[in-house]
Amino acid sequence: LILDNINFKINEGQIFGMLGPNGVGKSTIFNLITGLISPQNGKIKIQGSDVTQYPIYLRSKKFKVGYVPQYGGYFHDLTLIENLKAVGEILIENETDRQINIDNMISKFALDNVREIKAKFLSGGQRRKLVICMALLSDPKILLCDEIFAALDVLTIHMLKEILVNLQNENPKICIVVCEHQARELLSIVDRAMILSNCKIIAQGTPSELVKDSKAQSAYFGDSFKLN
């Protein structure tokens, strides 16, 4: 049993966080939303539609679900520009629109100086930015980010946090879901979050509400955790 009868709702325009120790089921929730795995019970609904039986590509194309995985998500032996073109050809039919979108992404994420570098030679932060660009090419309404700050230096984490907040400002209707176990980093950018423990949701709310929640304190934060 990975998840025990959990039920939650994420609103349009929110940055929503999922916190919990490793192995608690955060990535499993993402796999259920994208369609990589199917639930034994219950439903996955997007914009009121039951998508539980929909395959991955249909959820991505029809319901605009973008996914930034914790590991990989790019073609190692292709250059940065080749990676973006490979995904762009699937998502954007018009060649001119495709090229404009790709150029805009490269400019927005300051990747112009590494566009001809193979992905396997990029830094950790550059690779993470590339995968976010690939996910954003489909103009997603829902962006899922799995352990986006993992194994990155402080400056790169700060840069990625700015990117997520800017995305929300540029597109007020986008729903960004960030799964993470670096609590302080996550709570500094989310509107709401939930905490998972022992296969269940033990607390939901705004960052300040969660920090004061007694169940969240005992199961996850501890007594001395402070937001700032």
Side-chain angles (χ1 to χ4, degrees):
L1 181 70
I2 298 173
L3 298 168
D4 183 8
N5 194 30
I6 70 163
N7 185 15
F8 65 97
K9 181 179 179 181
I10 304 166
N11 294 323
E12 188 179 79
Q14 274 188 344
I15 299 181
F16 185 85
M18 289 194 287
L19 279 168
N22 285 335
V24 81
K26 302 186 299 295
S27 295
T28 301
I29 291 172
F30 275 3
N31 290 339
L32 287 165
I33 295 171
T34 57
L36 276 168
I37 57 175
S38 298
Q40 291 177 324
N41 300 295
K43 293 177 181 178
I44 310 292
K45 285 190 171 185
I46 301 176
Q47 294 173 320
S49 299
D50 183 354
V51 302
T52 315
Q53 303 304 320
Y54 281 41
I56 296 170
Y57 80 91
L58 206 51
R59 296 190 201 194
S60 174
K61 204 154 188 179
K62 184 173 180 180
F63 293 97
K64 300 271 192 172
V65 178
Y67 181 40
V68 180
Q70 180 180 357
Y71 302 110
Y74 55 88
F75 301 102
H76 291 245
D77 264 334
L78 296 184
T79 64
L80 183 137
I81 188 73
E82 287 168 345
N83 266 282
L84 290 171
K85 283 181 176 177
V87 173
E89 283 171 12
I90 298 167
L91 298 171
I92 306 165
E93 288 179 17
N94 184 284
E95 192 175 339
T96 307
D97 290 346
R98 188 190 314 145
Q99 194 58 53
I100 289 169
N101 275 25
I102 289 171
D103 288 342
N104 285 344
M105 284 292 165
I106 288 173
S107 174
K108 179 189 281 190
F109 288 86
L111 292 168
D112 200 55
N113 61 331
V114 292
R115 61 190 293 149
E116 302 298 338
I117 305 291
K118 284 192 176 184
K120 63 184 177 184
F121 297 127
L122 298 172
S123 70
Q126 288 165 342
R127 282 199 293 266
R128 204 64 55 89
K129 286 203 286 185
L130 167 61
V131 179
I132 294 171
C133 285
M134 291 165 77
L136 290 175
L137 274 179
S138 64
D139 190 25
K141 291 181 178 175
I142 301 167
L143 182 66
L144 308 173
C145 302
D146 191 0
E147 301 279 3
I148 196 171
F149 306 133
L152 294 175
D153 61 84
V154 174
L155 281 175
T156 306
I157 289 171
H158 181 71
M159 173 201 68
L160 289 175
K161 282 161 60 176
E162 280 193 341
I163 284 170
L164 293 178
V165 172
N166 286 340
L167 280 175
Q168 187 192 33
N169 292 336
E170 290 164 13
N171 184 356
K173 290 196 170 184
I174 195 171
C175 170
I176 302 170
V177 188
V178 186
C179 151
E180 191 52 65
H181 61 257
Q182 296 200 43
R184 193 166 277 102
E185 304 294 358
L186 182 114
L187 292 176
S188 68
I189 59 166
V190 299
D191 301 301
R192 291 180 63 79
M194 68 180 183
I195 294 171
L196 294 148
S197 180
N198 295 325
C199 312
K200 294 182 178 180
I201 298 169
I202 57 161
Q204 290 191 65
T206 64
S208 56
E209 287 168 350
L210 286 176
V211 172
K212 295 171 191 167
D213 188 285
S214 56
K215 286 183 182 176
Q217 283 178 352
S218 59
Y220 189 66
F221 292 125
D223 296 330
S224 60
F225 183 86
K226 297 276 191 299
L227 270 179
N228 297 316

